[in-house]
C-alpha cells in the first residue's frame, strides 16, 4: 500500500484525482473522495484576478465545506500575476497552491501558459520562485515530460522546481505536442523521479487497478493521479486502493449502486450550480456514467432532451428501478 506523502504540514494519501477544467468541480471532488480518492485538486483558475468575477471563476473558487488540505490550481505566464493569484487564493482558504504547467490546450498554450511554459526554462524558474516566495503554504507543480519528443526537458524542469522549493511534482507521461495521444512514456517519468528528492506522482493512462500497480512499479513514483479514467467511474479509486493493498480485484458496484452514485451526482450538480447550469453539467456526467450501462446509450439520448432538474432526477430514478430487473453492467 502507498504511504502518505508529507507536503509541508499536510500528509496526503497519494491516490489522487487530477484537476480537469469543467469536470473536477466541488461536487465531483466530493464524490471521488467518498469513493476512495485520497487527494483532489480544484479546476484550474486563471491567475488574472480581474476575471474572477465571472460565474465560471466563482464556482471554481468555491470550496465551502470541503475537507482539507484544499489544493487550488492556478494558471498563467506572468510571475508577478501568478504570485498575486497564489496570495489571493490562500486568503480565500487554499492550503496548497498547485501550478499548471501541464495543460496542452491550444487556447492555453497560445498564451504561453500551461505546458507551453516548458519551452522557457528561465521563465519557469521565475514563476516557481515568485509563487513559492509569495505564500506560506506548500506549492506543487503539475507538468509533462517535455514540450515535444525532441525536447523532453522534464528532468530539467523537475530540478528547477525542486531548487525553487516546490514540494511535490505530478508528471503527465506525455509531451505537450502529444496532447493525449499515443501511450504515456513512463520511462521519462521514472527518470524524473530519480532526478529529484521531492515526492512525484505519475499521471497518464492509469485506467485500472492493474495499470496503477504497473505504473508504480515502472516509475518508482510515490503515488498516482487519475483524470479521464474517473469519468463516469469515480469508484475506480476504491478499486485501486483495494488492489494495491490485497492484489485482489474488487468488483465494481452493481448496476443499481452505480446509478445511485450518478443520481447523487446529478442532485449535487443541481444544488451547486442552480438548475440551468446544473442541468447542462449533468448531461455531460450522465453520458460518462451511462457508457458502462446496458441500454445506457438510449437512456442518455432521452436524458439529454430533459430541461429541468426535477425531470433529470426522476428519469435517473425511473431508469434505476427498471434496471433492478437485471440489466448487466457493460464491462
Amino acid at each position: 500500500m502507498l504511504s502518505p506523502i508529507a507536503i509541508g504540514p499536510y500528509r496526503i494519501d497519494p491516490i489522487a484525482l487530477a484537476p480537469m477544467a469543467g469536470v473536477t468541480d466541488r461536487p465531483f471532488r466530493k464524490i471521488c473522495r467518498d469513493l476512495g480518492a485520497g487527494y483532489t485538486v480544484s479546476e484550474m483558475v486563471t491567475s488574472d484576478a480581474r476575471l474572477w468575477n465571472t460565474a465560471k471563476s466563482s464556482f471554481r473558487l468555491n470550496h465551502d465545506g470541503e475537507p482539507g488540505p484544499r489544493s487550488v490550481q492556478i494558471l498563467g505566464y506572468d510571475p508577478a500575476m501568478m504570485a498575486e493569484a497564489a496570495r489571493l487564493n490562500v486568503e480565500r482558504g487554499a492550503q496548497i497552491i498547485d501550478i499548471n504547467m501541464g495543460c496542452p490546450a491550444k487556447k492555453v498554450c497560445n498564451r504561453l501558459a500551461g505546458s507551453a511554459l516548458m519551452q522557457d526554462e528561465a521563465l519557469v524558474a521565475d514563476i516557481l520562485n515568485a509563487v513559492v516566495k509569495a505564500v506560506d503554504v506548500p506549492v506543487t507543480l503539475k507538468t509533462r515530460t517535455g514540450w515535444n519528443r525532441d525536447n523532453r526537458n522534464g528532468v530539467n524542469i523537475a530540478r528547477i522546481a525542486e531548487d525553487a522549493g516546490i514540494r511535490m511534482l505530478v508528471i503527465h507521461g506525455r509531451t505537450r505536442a502529444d496532447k493525449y495521444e499515443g501511450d504515456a512514456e513512463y520511462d521519462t517519468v521514472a527518470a524524473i523521479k530519480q532526478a529529484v528528492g521531492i515526492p512525484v506522482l505519475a499521471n497518464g493512462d492509469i485506467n485500472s487497478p492493474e495499470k496503477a500497480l504497473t505504473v508504480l512499479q515502472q516509475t518508482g513514483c510515490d503515488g498516482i493521479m487519475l483524470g479521464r479514467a474517473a469519468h463516469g467511474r469515480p469508484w475506480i479509486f476504491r478499486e485501486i486502493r483495494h488492489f494495491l493493498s490485497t492484489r485482489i480485484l474488487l468488483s465494481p458496484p452493481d448496476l443499481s449502486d452505480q446509478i445511485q452514485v450518478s443520481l447523487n451526482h446529478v442532485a449535487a450538480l443541481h444544488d451547486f450550480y442552480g438548475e440551468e447550469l446544473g442541468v447542462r453539467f449533468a448531461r455531460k456526467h450522465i453520458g460518462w456514467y451511462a457508457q458502462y450501462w446496458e441500454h445506457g446509450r438510449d437512456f442518455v439520448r432521452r436524458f439529454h432532451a430533459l430541461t429541468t432538474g426535477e425531470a433529470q432526477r426522476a428519469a435517473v430514478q425511473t431508469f434505476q428501478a427498471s434496471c433492478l430487473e437485471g440489466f448487466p453492467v457493460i464491462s
Side-chain angles (χ1 to χ4, degrees), residues 58-75:
S58 67
F59 288 121
R60 292 186 177 186
L61 292 164
N62 186 329
H63 309 283
D64 294 345
E66 194 164 5
R70 294 179 295 277
S71 179
V72 175
Q73 186 179 80
I74 58 175
L75 172 80

Side-chain angles (χ1 to χ4, degrees), residues 55-291:
K56 178 188 293 186
S57 290
S58 67
F59 288 121
R60 292 186 177 186
L61 292 164
N62 186 329
H63 309 283
D64 294 345
E66 194 164 5
R70 294 179 295 277
S71 179
V72 175
Q73 186 179 80
I74 58 175
L75 172 80
Y77 56 88
D78 179 83
M81 191 177 289
M82 290 282 279
E84 180 65 11
R87 282 192 292 266
L88 292 173
N89 273 291
V90 170
E91 289 178 5
R92 290 169 174 255
Q95 296 169 303
I96 296 173
I97 295 295
D98 185 59
I99 297 175
N100 182 321
M101 291 189 187
C103 181
K106 183 179 294 186
K107 66 180 180 181
V108 169
C109 290
N110 283 348
R111 299 182 181 181
L112 198 63
S115 56
L117 287 167
M118 299 187 76
Q119 297 174 96
D120 190 336
E121 294 182 4
L123 180 56
V124 168
D126 289 344
I127 290 172
L128 299 183
N129 280 292
V131 173
V132 169
K133 291 175 182 177
V135 294
D136 58 2
V137 303
V139 181
T140 62
L141 173 66
K142 189 170 191 293
T143 187
R144 287 183 168 239
T145 58
W147 170 247
N148 57 36
R149 295 183 185 185
D150 294 325
N151 296 278
R152 288 189 174 96
N153 60 337
V155 168
N156 289 347
I157 297 292
R159 287 174 172 154
I160 290 168
E162 184 173 33
D163 289 343
I166 293 298
R167 299 296 189 92
M168 183 179 77
L169 295 169
V170 179
I171 309 297
H172 183 100
R174 291 181 175 85
T175 69
R176 185 270 161 185
D178 290 325
K179 297 183 180 179
Y180 298 101
E181 299 173 359
D183 296 328
E185 43 177 295
Y186 301 121
D187 54 343
T188 310
V189 178
I192 292 170
K193 169 58 186 171
Q194 293 169 6
V196 296
I198 56 177
V200 178
L201 304 189
N203 174 231
D205 291 354
I206 302 171
N207 55 13
S208 70
E210 301 98 319
K211 188 64 175 287
L213 177 60
T214 298
V215 171
L216 287 167
Q217 292 172 335
Q218 288 182 356
T219 64
C221 282
D222 304 280
I224 53 172
M225 180 173 275
L226 280 69
R228 292 170 292 163
H231 291 177
R233 195 164 52 126
W235 44 84
I236 190 173
F237 297 99
R238 184 171 63 193
E239 294 173 0
I240 288 173
R241 183 178 303 283
H242 185 269
F243 185 74
L244 292 180
S245 62
T246 67
R247 300 299 190 269
I248 298 171
L249 287 172
L250 182 69
S251 297
D254 64 32
L255 183 54
S256 180
D257 288 342
Q258 290 188 26
I259 298 172
Q260 185 62 48
V261 171
S262 77
L263 176 59
N264 295 342
H265 194 171
V266 166
L269 290 168
H270 295 159
D271 182 63
F272 183 69
Y273 288 108
E275 182 162 80
E276 182 178 354
L277 277 178
V279 164
R280 287 168 52 190
F281 277 99
R283 291 172 182 149
K284 171 168 58 180
H285 284 281
I286 284 294
W288 285 327
Y289 282 108
Q291 67 184 314

